[in-house]
Amino acid sequence: MVAQEIMDKAVDIEGLSFTYPDGHQGLKNIDLVVYRGEAVAVIGPNGAGKSTLLLHLNGILRGNSVVKVFGLPVEEKNLKEIRRKVGLIFQDPEDQLFSLTVFDDVAFGPINMGYSEPEVKQRVTQALEWVGMNGYEQRSPHHLSIGEKKRIAIATVLSLNPELLVLDEPTSNLDPRSKWSLFELLRQLPVTKIVAAHDLELVRALCQRTVVMDEGKIVAGGSTESILSDVPLLRAHGLAPCLD
Ligand SMILES: Nc1ncnc2c1ncn2[C@@H]1O[C@H](COP(=O)(O)OP(=O)(O)OP(=O)(O)O)[C@@H](O)[C@H]1O
Ligand SMILES: [Mg+2]
């Protein structure tokens, strides 16, 4: 029973605080559990700590307490396995793209995981099709538009079929058609999702549960419907215009 409960938790965070090397405290005592199969949004104003929190999910940043992903503590000895399970799409696509061609960037993960050449090709084709970017294989990622870069960055993670998809502002810079096709794709992917977003349309369309962050803390959480209809809460945290 206990083992089952641990298995069902995709993410388990208790009392997590994190201070950047310059002394800025990015996270303050965060508690968060995300169950397998959930889609959870993290919303909050600029500088709230959303990206900082997400970067703890595959060990890029590490704070004072142990973050567990699918029951595995995020620490050195588990990082390889965790990074196989957790696909993190960075807020800035430039952080995700480093190869000379789009193909190489999207193939990087599958090659690293040891897939055969035909399997790698199939995964790249599938991932590029999901983001509507077939035909871009030989282009340089660095010479694409920002929205195109964003879509390729998403493909680099989808090509690994992660069990937990962590998306930091996935729809920023996407045109409406790309944005809605991404919604559809994400909705259909049967994996756990954690999405940091300013795009409340995305949050409403994709996530059943929402947590609100501000100044490094989680200040509210509940069903997306209840959070997004709480206008005073949204206003208090810079997420809705104050008209009065
Ligand atoms: N490398 C860093 N060194 C020092 N402080 C940092 C660093 N990265 C972020 N911060 C600070 O930590 C706080 C949280 O930043 P974070 O990027 O997590 O916010 P965010 O909620 O993702 O904001 P946004 O909505 O703008 O993406 C901010 O005050 C930011 O200035
Ligand atoms: Mg951010």
Side-chain angles (χ1 to χ4, degrees):
M1 178 63 197
V2 173
Q4 181 61 41
E5 217 168 76
I6 293 169
M7 284 306 296
D8 286 340
K9 283 181 185 171
V11 171
D12 191 358
I13 297 174
E14 226 181 289
L16 176 67
S17 297
F18 174 77
T19 303
Y20 279 105
D22 70 354
H24 183 86
Q25 196 173 359
L27 297 178
K28 297 173 189 163
N29 201 24
I30 299 287
D31 292 328
L32 180 68
V33 172
V34 174
Y35 289 93
R36 203 182 271 274
E38 273 196 300
V40 176
V42 181
I43 63 174
N46 292 136
K50 304 178 298 293
S51 299
T52 306
L53 176 61
L54 266 40
L55 292 171
H56 281 75
L57 297 175
N58 71 356
I60 293 174
L61 297 180
R62 271 182 268 172
N64 67 316
S65 81
V66 174
V67 170
K68 286 189 192 155
V69 178
F70 299 113
L72 278 175
V74 180
E75 52 195 33
E76 208 58 43
K77 68 176 162 52
N78 296 326
L79 280 191
K80 192 158 187 230
E81 190 171 351
I82 282 169
R83 288 183 184 163
R84 198 195 312 261
K85 290 173 188 281
V86 180
L88 196 152
I89 297 166
F90 294 103
Q91 182 162 11
D92 181 351
E94 297 283 355
D95 291 339
Q96 210 126 23
L97 305 173
F98 49 83
S99 303
L100 289 177
T101 66
V102 164
F103 181 93
D104 287 349
D105 259 336
V106 183
F108 181 81
I111 289 171
N112 243 3
M113 291 300 157
Y115 291 110
S116 67
E117 205 182 316
E119 170 87 20
V120 169
K121 279 195 177 142
Q122 190 265 326
R123 280 172 176 257
V124 172
T125 305
Q126 174 69 82
L128 288 176
E129 191 183 317
W130 274 332
V131 297
M133 293 293 282
N134 285 125
Y136 280 69
E137 287 82 347
Q138 296 314 316
R139 297 278 302 272
S140 160
H142 301 286
H143 296 155
L144 300 176
S145 78
I146 299 174
E148 288 169 339
K149 283 180 189 166
K150 191 88 198 175
R151 287 153 69 179
I152 298 300
I154 294 169
T156 66
V157 167
L158 294 180
S159 64
L160 277 167
N161 284 344
E163 287 176 52
L164 169 62
L165 201 47
V166 180
L167 304 117
D168 199 347
E169 302 292 347
T171 55
S172 61
N173 297 110
L174 294 192
D175 63 40
R177 183 178 49 192
S178 309
K179 179 169 136 169
W180 284 102
S181 69
L182 182 67
F183 282 179
E184 272 315 304
L185 167 65
L186 293 176
R187 238 202 309 240
Q188 284 164 26
L189 286 178
V191 298
T192 312
K193 290 156 213 141
I194 300 178
V195 189
H198 291 296
D199 181 350
L200 300 184
E201 223 178 359
L202 164 74
V203 170
R204 212 183 291 273
L206 191 67
C207 301
Q208 301 84 44
R209 184 152 72 90
T210 294
V211 298
V212 183
M213 288 188 74
D214 203 353
E215 296 182 353
K217 291 182 277 208
I218 291 184
V219 293
S223 72
T224 295
E225 207 187 327
S226 67
I227 296 286
L228 294 191
S229 58
D230 188 342
V231 176
L233 172 78
L234 297 179
R235 280 189 185 155
H237 299 287
L239 298 164
C242 294
L243 302 172
D244 35 54

